[in-house]
């Protein structure tokens, strides 16, 4: 009787253990450098919860905002090392591993957000994304419109030449440097998290970012001029690490991809809507908002900064510009 009881008990323990194993929770880390108030964070949190829901709790994703796990270069490195599983990051960083994808940061390549989104559904995007994945193993699951990059400065700017000699913070990314350098600015790379202080203490006199970022990072508190240069229609990629992507079943790959794309669409809509409101809101705060002749800026970029300087393919530039 005792032996039979022990046998039954052992069998029950095996069943419980196998059941727990089947429903074991996999913990994942999702990292980015943006503020908790921004859609890039709120939609990441939504996506993490949605993935947990659609996989019956098999995945628990913790989202780490505002550079908690490091600067953008750090979390991209973490993707390679397997210390983070999912990140939101620009193609400028993807271009460090696969240069051709950086062509999307060449100034004035996109006309507007709808042109950018059309690109993400095009064959040229699929080819560039595949090139990046072939090189790194990481998977670009979705693209979110980040905003159209404009310039803030201590002094009024009405034309490209007005940037001559201005100390301007620009991310340490070749294509981001193109417009400021074409206009004669003295560019300075400063980490994203340190830009506010650099503007406040006069280390730099200007910077460039979308209106939504200018709001979220409160740059308007330390810069009184917003110049609508619109030089880059920017975007962020949702990236899955090679380690994560290769570990997922086909069914889970479908769930992760669909959720990431839905989160990107939600984020894009929020960014577009907020940008439309911000010009008037900044004016009400006493900020000078200046419309400029973008053709003047574009002409200087095309004349003074060549695609070949960055190793980009003109065929990719032409293909993207031709997208309707």
């Amino acid at each position: 009787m005792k032996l039979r009881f022990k046998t039954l008990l052992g069998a029950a323990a095996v069943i419980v253990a196998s059941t727990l194993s089947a429903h074991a929770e996999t913990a994942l880390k999702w990292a980015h450098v943006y503020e908790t108030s921004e859609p890039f964070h709120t939609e990441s949190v939504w996506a993490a919860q949605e993935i947990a829901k659609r996989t019956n709790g098999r995945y628990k994703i913790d989202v780490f905002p505002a550079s908690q796990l490091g600067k953008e270069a750090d979390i991209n490195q973490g993707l390679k090392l397997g210390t983070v599983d999912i990140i939101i990051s620009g193609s400028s960083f993807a271009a460090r591993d696969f240069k051709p994808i950086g062509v999307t940061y060449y100034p004035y390549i996109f006309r507007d957000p709808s042109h950018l989104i059309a690109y993400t559904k095009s064959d040229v995007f699929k080819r560039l994304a595949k090139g990046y994945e072939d090189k790194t193993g990481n998977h670009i699951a979705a693209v979110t419109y980040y905003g159209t990059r404009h310039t803030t400065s201590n002094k009024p700017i009405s034309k490209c030449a007005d940037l001559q000699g201005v100390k301007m913070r620009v991310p340490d990314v070749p294509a981001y440097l193109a417009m400021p350098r074409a206009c004669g600015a003295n560019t300075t790379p400063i980490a994203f998290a340190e830009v506010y202080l650099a503007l406040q203490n006069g280390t730099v006199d200007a910077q460039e970012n979308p209106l939504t970022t200018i709001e979220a990072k409160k740059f308007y508190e330390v810069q009184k001029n917003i110049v609508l240069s619109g030089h880059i229609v920017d975007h962020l990629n949702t990236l899955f690490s090679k380690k994560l992507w290769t570990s997922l079943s086909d069914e889970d790959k479908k769930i992760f991809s669909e959720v990431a794309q839905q989160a990107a669409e939600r984020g894009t809509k929020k960014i577009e809507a907020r940008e439309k409101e911000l010009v008037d809101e900044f004016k009400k705060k006493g900020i000078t908002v200046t419309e400029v002749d973008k053709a003047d800026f574009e002409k200087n970029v095309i004349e003074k900064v060549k695609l070949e300087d960055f190793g980009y393919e003109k065929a990719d530039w032409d293909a993207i510009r031709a997208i309707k």
Side-chain angles (χ1 to χ4, degrees):
M1 183 70 178
K2 282 183 180 179
L3 182 61
R4 185 166 177 270
F5 178 73
K6 284 181 179 179
T7 302
L8 288 171
L9 196 61
V14 168
I15 291 167
V16 168
S18 63
T19 301
L20 287 172
S21 177
H23 293 86
E25 184 180 78
T26 300
L28 301 174
K29 291 180 179 178
W30 182 322
H32 63 78
V33 299
Y34 301 99
E35 299 300 313
T36 54
S37 61
E38 295 182 87
F40 316 114
H41 177 68
T42 57
E43 297 310 317
S44 296
V45 171
W46 175 84
Q49 294 169 344
E50 197 66 16
I51 287 169
K53 189 189 306 179
R54 296 189 197 184
T55 60
N56 297 314
R58 285 185 288 108
Y59 293 93
K60 180 182 184 296
I61 303 175
D62 291 315
V63 181
F64 297 87
S67 304
Q68 286 179 10
L69 297 187
K71 298 169 186 174
E72 198 159 1
D74 300 325
I75 62 175
N76 273 273
Q77 184 66 11
L79 209 64
K80 295 178 187 177
L81 298 174
T83 54
V84 294
D85 305 286
I86 304 169
I87 68 170
I88 295 177
S89 178
S91 286
S92 55
F93 284 88
R96 294 181 179 185
D97 291 304
F98 181 66
K99 191 169 282 188
I101 204 167
V103 72
T104 53
Y105 284 89
Y106 191 81
Y108 301 105
I109 190 169
F110 294 115
R111 296 180 295 275
D112 51 36
S114 62
H115 184 197
L116 166 69
I117 297 305
Y119 154 74
T120 67
K121 297 174 176 154
S122 71
D123 289 339
V124 64
F125 169 77
K126 289 171 188 170
R127 176 165 49 78
L128 292 172
K130 183 178 186 301
Y132 169 76
E133 185 164 350
D134 289 345
K135 190 75 180 287
T136 64
N138 302 326
H139 178 70
I140 299 176
V143 177
T144 306
Y145 170 56
Y146 178 63
T148 299
R149 299 181 84 92
H150 301 293
T151 305
T152 69
S153 65
N154 290 337
K155 71 169 191 173
I157 303 288
S158 61
K159 57 186 182 299
C160 179
D162 291 338
L163 281 172
Q164 183 72 39
V166 171
K167 291 183 296 181
M168 185 170 179
R169 181 271 173 177
V170 184
D172 190 17
V173 175
Y176 278 150
L177 300 168
M179 184 281 284
R181 287 188 177 171
C183 296
N186 294 326
T187 55
T188 304
I190 293 171
F192 189 52
E194 298 161 15
V195 177
Y196 183 98
L197 185 59
L199 294 169
Q200 188 177 47
N201 64 25
T203 302
V204 290
D205 306 312
Q207 67 86 46
E208 53 80 59
N209 260 299
L211 296 178
T212 47
T213 305
I214 293 165
E215 177 193 33
K217 300 296 285 187
K218 301 188 186 301
F219 295 150
Y220 61 87
E221 293 180 347
V222 287
Q223 297 264 267
K224 293 306 176 188
N225 293 278
I226 295 177
V227 184
L228 300 178
S229 51
H231 49 285
I232 295 174
V233 178
D234 210 344
H235 64 285
L236 297 174
N237 300 316
T238 304
L239 297 152
F240 299 153
S241 72
K242 177 181 180 180
K243 179 182 174 185
L244 170 62
W245 188 241
T246 55
S247 74
L248 296 175
S249 66
D250 287 345
E251 182 184 357
D252 284 346
K253 280 181 178 176
K254 186 169 184 287
I255 291 169
F256 273 67
S257 296
E258 284 180 352
V259 171
Q261 287 161 18
Q262 288 167 8
E265 288 169 9
R266 289 161 56 105
T268 293
K269 286 178 182 174
K270 288 180 178 179
I271 292 293
E272 284 194 89
R274 187 66 186 135
E275 279 186 322
K276 289 173 183 174
E277 301 167 347
L278 276 171
V279 169
D280 284 340
E281 291 189 20
F282 283 133
K283 287 178 179 177
K284 287 175 185 174
K285 292 179 187 292
I287 308 300
T288 300
V289 182
T290 307
E291 295 273 0
V292 295
D293 180 7
K294 291 181 186 177
D296 170 51
F297 286 81
E298 184 174 2
K299 177 175 176 288
N300 275 276
V301 169
I302 290 172
E303 286 179 357
K304 298 174 184 176
V305 185
K306 306 301 181 187
L307 279 166
E308 297 76 24
D309 295 344
F310 306 116
Y312 302 147
E313 298 293 333
K314 185 154 189 315
D316 291 336
W317 186 84
D318 289 337
I320 293 170
R321 294 272 287 196
I323 294 168
K324 301 300 182 187

